[in-house]
Amino acid sequence: QVQLVESGGGLVQAGGSLRLSCAASGRTFSNYAAGWFRQAPGKERELVAAISGSGVSTHHVDSVKGRFTIYRDNVKSTLYLRMNGLKPEDTAVYYCAAATSSLLRVGPGYDYWGQGTQVTVSS
């Protein structure tokens, strides 16, 4: 079992920056691939970025490439999402998730989820 707790969301103006954190507890964090997802009102949850257990491999969806960066600190058992150049369309609840495999995962199959943190970008 892995427990995940997100933090760092908030209200920011367009063009601004935020860093989301996801603190993991329960097991050796490096054994788990991880990802950030988001869900906007009226829309399905979507993958934003993913990272392998070691942190060497990453994936960012096209809509955030060049603006968002996923990274992790396995010593601190923490996952991060650095978000720059935020746009109103980035407004959503952001969730971190972990998979019971250290291999990069860009599709379904995440087993553990945090409670989410709201990110609101004003125009």
Side-chain angles (χ1 to χ4, degrees):
Q1 282 278 15
V2 175
Q3 293 78 44
L4 303 171
V5 179
E6 302 97 334
S7 61
L11 173 64
V12 64
Q13 289 187 332
S17 298
L18 284 174
R19 187 183 75 166
L20 304 184
S21 299
C22 174
S25 61
R27 294 292 177 93
T28 303
F29 191 46
S30 59
N31 290 341
Y32 298 81
W36 286 99
F37 292 75
R38 66 186 179 187
Q39 187 166 22
K43 295 187 177 181
E44 293 189 356
R45 187 169 56 192
E46 62 173 354
L47 176 70
V48 175
I51 189 167
S52 61
S54 66
V56 170
S57 299
T58 62
H59 170 80
H60 299 78
V61 297
D62 287 345
S63 60
V64 307
K65 277 182 181 177
R67 300 188 298 122
F68 292 9
T69 303
I70 188 172
Y71 61 103
R72 64 194 296 164
D73 183 335
N74 285 335
V75 173
K76 296 182 178 179
S77 295
T78 304
L79 176 71
Y80 301 97
L81 184 68
R82 180 66 183 176
M83 304 186 294
N84 295 327
L86 282 160
K87 304 176 181 180
E89 52 263 44
D90 295 318
T91 295
V93 177
Y94 283 72
Y95 300 89
C96 68
T100 52
S101 167
S102 63
L103 298 177
L104 182 70
R105 187 178 296 267
V106 297
Y110 281 84
D111 305 290
Y112 305 101
W113 295 84
Q115 82 289 350
T117 186
Q118 177 71 46
V119 172
T120 303
V121 184
S122 63
S123 57

